[in-house]
Amino acid sequence: MNGALVRVEVAVPVPLGRAFTYEVPEALAAKVAVGSRVYCPFGGRRTLGVVLRVLPVGEDAGIEGARETVKPIFGLVDGPKVPDDLVAFLLVLGRYYFAPIGEVFRLALPPIEKKTAEALRAPSLFPEKVRGVVARTMTWIVATDASGEPRGPLAKALLAQVRARHEAPLPALAAVFSGAREKAKALAAQGFVRLEERERPAEAYFRDVVPRDEAPTLTDEQIVCVQSIDAALAAGKSASFLLWGVTGSGKTEVYLHALATAIAAKKGAIVLVPEIALTPQLVNRFRARFGDDVAVLHSGLTDAERHAMWKRLALGEVSVVIGARSALFAPVKNLGLVVVDEEHDGSFKQADGVRYNARDMALLRAHQQNAVVVLGSATPSIESMHRARDSKASGACTLLRMRGRATKATMPEVTTIDLRRIGAGPTGEKRLSVPLHRALEETLAKKEQAIIFLNRRGFAPHALCESCGQAIGCPHCSVGLTFHKRGNFPGGAGTNGILRCHLCDHHAPMPSACRSCASAALVLDGVGTEKLEEALAKAFPEARVARLDRDTGGGKKVEAVLTKMRNREIDILVGTQMVTKGHDLPEVTLVGVIQADAALALPDFRAAERTFQLLVQVAGRAGRGALPGKVLLQTFQPEHFVIRRAIRHDVDGFLDEELVNRRELGYPPFSHLALIALDDPEEGRLQVEAMRLADVARAFTPAVEVLGPTPAPLARWKGRYRWRFLLRAKDRGKLREALVAVHRASALAHRDTRVALDIDPSHLL
């Protein structure tokens, strides 16, 4: 740099909406680039940041204090930098969601290695203790081009496995072949294979050897979809598709063919699933088809696993990543394909912090990199369906349709049970009706499996006093406490059970008397999955009953339950939404929905859409194999249009009717929304701040409509009061002008008042 002073703009992980300027020591000037991870001072501490821009010599930072003394960075973090295309994507994402740029980059960055952390602990460099991860390695066997066969049955079998996959992790083969480690060294000495040390991947997904499979013969509908996607990949231009296929239509097989095309063209791919529990299923499908060249990224990984995956992707050792929404930020090289499975699912929307929607941002990232994006669902979101139907809509996409199941199995028969007229069955539990009880008897008699869906955890949703009618509520939140008879949480294993808040996790023992009137007439009201599991186990003692919800565990425990279900070790599975998410359980022939209309009364314009999607998805778990399926929907509102459409699997009819409703009410996709959410320990102060910010937004009327402010439906959470107001506009540009003004005005709010801007909110509670 000829001795000239070099400055850089750096994103640091603090909740501030701008980057900061640092000088680059002359010794590092040639090494610093956009995406470099650097050690830098910030206030009275040290931190890690990412270089966003290298400023031309003599250019100021463009922020206040640019001409003042600028501190130097301390050094560079070893390892691959954040790719330029990922930096550009994250900058746009941060601006769109009004998110602090340092917090945005925190989403995308892996932990640092332990050796780097140790270096940072040097007093002259980084006095605070910095946590790091140890890069663990494992041996891989890679087939060479050598022909011929080794001697001995073990050597031949081992080499056949490696050649079939081109490469394989040695620990996985050692679990299958006794003496594999010694024999691998011998094969390497003979030139048949070579041994490589690589960072150890996430063991949960790569521990076992997965047998290779062959692609099945595609249906005519699948062929049309694959050809359309392949043509877009070959064109090398940005394109988006909505893959709308009924449950069991073979959407995953279409994804696998698209991935094969991308891999053959040396392009990278990202595959997003809504839940961590779905990741192992898809990873195994991929490994069976393509081998182990895949990375897995989601919040359930350890720091070491996440670091290893990120590094392999950044170095180009693997080109495909599968995971939940955070996998969108993977440093995939030459990105050519992005798949969003179950694109309608609300889990793709981050609920706090940087409130991004991974589905929407997948469209953005694909567009920026001239990649193809495929959104798949049996129940497409209203917004995606509108984009597919209206060529003039923002982000318009091509509709690909699959109306039949890939296995030629028929869609399950769906019947409603009117809970207003039909009472409890032999158990006496009013949520287990006579028809549902009889259907379970028939299913068990035929040695088939059943799923019972109830979207309420715990034993009883309410504990209340029969004398005064007062429910026992959470002292910190505006919700009642749920009674749990048992559970893997503090105080949950006692014989008397525990009351627990599902929002803040406050828990307390069941009181002996009402706190309001001192009466001892306390009763448990309603039914949750725990109580339902117990009732079914008593009613059908010969059946193996299990439960799948957040209380039974997450991550690997979920997969363990699903594995038991696939292995026919469970007869009846009781669960919440976790049982509805794309699981392929071919022996399930009966699905019972305890209360199909439970969520229709929620104060959210998406309540009908979510209920319909949930019912169709859970119904789709039945009859996916050779045997026909049957679904029973228990409801108090069998005449509701959502129920009527769901029992006929009438997605077209529901979308048509709901789009009419949305247009009349002025809700998305016919408008754009932003939710301004405020919370504060003092309600009076919170109300004043909410009114002030709403008045700022009202300066932009009539182009921008201001709804509120009002207390949120969930008025108190974790000891803080909550208010909100909604901004609605047909013109996104006008809405953004109002949001910029509100965002600036929020900086003047009281320090205890938190203000969050939720762009394109998915929930209004």
Side-chain angles (χ1 to χ4, degrees), residues 248-269:
S249 59
K251 293 184 289 295
T252 302
E253 194 59 45
V254 174
Y255 303 155
L256 290 171
H257 276 73
L259 285 165
T261 301
I263 292 169
K266 307 297 183 183
K267 294 181 179 181

Side-chain angles (χ1 to χ4, degrees), residues 464-723:
L464 51 85
C465 175
E466 285 189 317
S467 295
C468 68
Q470 185 71 34
I472 301 177
C474 176
H476 311 296
C477 307
S478 299
V479 295
L481 295 177
T482 298
F483 179 77
H484 290 256
K485 203 169 185 179
R486 60 187 185 278
N488 56 351
F489 45 85
T495 55
N496 295 326
I498 193 171
L499 291 170
R500 186 183 182 198
C501 176
H502 288 170
L503 295 178
C504 72
D505 210 30
H506 167 81
H507 53 272
M510 183 76 175
S512 58
C514 176
R515 295 189 181 95
S516 298
C517 69
S519 170
L522 295 177
V523 296
L524 299 175
D525 182 52
V527 59
T529 50
E530 188 182 355
K531 185 177 181 181
L532 192 59
E533 178 193 22
E534 183 178 287
L536 288 168
K538 290 180 180 178
F540 304 102
E542 75 286 359
R544 296 163 295 179
V545 183
R547 175 163 50 100
L548 184 59
D549 57 27
R550 289 186 184 178
D551 298 325
T552 58
K556 298 175 184 178
K557 292 183 179 180
V558 172
E559 182 60 20
V561 173
L562 293 173
T563 298
K564 285 185 176 182
M565 193 72 177
R566 295 187 189 102
N567 293 339
R568 299 298 304 270
E569 298 173 37
I570 296 171
D571 299 309
I572 303 174
L573 180 62
V574 178
T576 56
Q577 288 190 49
M578 297 174 76
V579 303
T580 73
K581 308 268 181 140
H583 306 301
D584 190 15
L585 304 169
E587 303 301 323
V588 171
T589 59
L590 173 66
V591 168
V593 180
I594 296 302
Q595 188 172 343
D597 48 42
L600 286 175
L602 290 176
D604 192 315
F605 72 92
R606 287 193 174 90
E609 179 183 8
R610 288 201 187 94
T611 300
F612 179 81
Q613 290 167 343
L614 197 60
L615 295 179
V616 173
Q617 291 287 340
V618 72
R621 299 315 105 202
R624 296 172 71 94
L627 299 173
K630 181 178 182 180
V631 182
L632 299 180
L633 300 185
Q634 295 187 157
T635 175
F636 289 100
Q637 304 178 65
E639 69 284 348
H640 197 286
F641 86 97
V642 167
I643 306 297
R644 287 189 290 103
R645 299 292 186 185
I647 63 175
R648 298 198 299 269
H649 309 281
D650 187 5
V651 181
D652 289 280
F654 170 78
L655 290 169
D656 290 339
E657 195 162 352
E658 182 64 6
L659 280 168
V660 170
N661 295 338
R662 295 281 185 90
R663 188 186 293 274
E664 289 179 354
L665 296 172
Y667 280 116
F670 305 105
S671 68
H672 305 287
L673 298 181
L675 182 70
I676 316 302
L678 303 90
D679 61 83
D680 193 300
E682 294 188 15
E683 187 173 21
R685 180 174 62 211
L686 178 64
Q687 181 177 356
V688 171
E689 290 288 3
M691 294 291 187
R692 180 179 69 85
L693 293 181
D695 286 342
V696 171
R698 286 194 179 93
F700 294 86
T701 54
V704 178
E705 185 180 4
V706 181
L707 306 176
T710 62
L714 181 58
R716 194 162 175 257
W717 188 1
K718 297 184 179 180
R720 298 178 69 91
Y721 293 94
R722 304 170 73 242
W723 276 59

Side-chain angles (χ1 to χ4, degrees), residues 108-114 131-138 198-207 276 279-280 294-314 317-318 321-322 326 330-331 555-556:
L109 295 180
I112 59 175
E113 290 187 13
K114 188 174 182 179
R131 185 180 173 191
V133 299
V134 178
R136 302 172 62 199
T137 62
M138 67 187 300
R198 299 179 184 174
E199 287 198 42
R200 185 182 296 272
E203 291 192 12
Y205 304 103
F206 297 90
R207 183 185 299 117
I276 294 174
T279 309
V294 58
V296 178
L297 284 175
H298 56 67
S299 60
L301 299 181
T302 65
D303 285 349
E305 289 171 337
R306 192 163 63 253
H307 173 271
M309 291 295 182
W310 195 93
K311 189 173 180 180
R312 292 193 72 198
L313 285 162
E317 294 178 0
V318 293
V321 61
I322 299 173
S326 59
K556 298 175 184 178

Side-chain angles (χ1 to χ4, degrees), residues 741-765:
V742 171
H743 183 61
R744 289 173 177 168
S746 68
L748 302 177
H750 190 277
R751 65 176 181 273
D752 289 332
T753 304
R754 297 189 302 210
V755 182
L757 277 63
D758 190 355
I759 315 303
D760 305 323
S762 62
H763 291 83
L764 301 182
L765 300 181

Side-chain angles (χ1 to χ4, degrees), residues 84-111:
D84 291 355
D85 55 86
L86 183 55
V87 171
F89 167 65
L90 293 172
L91 286 170
V92 176
L93 183 148
R95 286 195 294 269
Y96 183 78
Y97 289 106
F98 290 87
I101 191 60
E103 296 298 305
V104 171
F105 274 82
R106 193 200 293 268
L107 293 172
L109 295 180

